[in-house]
Amino acid sequence: MATVKIKGMSCNHCVMAVQKALSGVEGVTNIKVDLEKGEATFDQAAPVDTNTIKEAIQKAGYQLG
Ligand SMILES: [Cu+2]
């Protein structure tokens, strides 16, 4: 399981946006986004490049923290 810190989430809309962004990354499964902690956890069905995660999060309008 991997955990990433995400900056800029303020409500459940943000949670959904981050969830959707991560679900679009190949190999990422079992995503859980925690608004209060400002982080997301996920399992990797295949090795996932951190830069790919970063880009997906940024495209959704947030930053890795
Ligand atoms: Cu929001």
Side-chain angles (χ1 to χ4, degrees):
M1 192 178 72
T3 304
V4 289
K5 289 277 180 190
I6 298 167
K7 281 191 263 186
M9 295 194 298
S10 57
C11 68
N12 277 323
H13 166 83
C14 302
V15 170
M16 293 300 290
V18 168
Q19 181 117 20
K20 193 178 166 193
L22 289 174
S23 69
V25 178
E26 204 179 326
V28 172
T29 61
N30 201 18
I31 304 154
K32 293 194 180 69
V33 182
D34 190 314
L35 177 60
E36 281 185 17
K37 287 184 186 167
E39 65 187 30
T41 61
F42 54 88
D43 290 331
Q44 299 175 41
V48 178
D49 188 339
T50 309
N51 275 329
T52 311
I53 297 291
K54 190 176 174 182
E55 277 170 25
I57 296 293
Q58 285 178 343
K59 262 187 206 159
Y62 305 94
Q63 299 288 325
L64 286 194

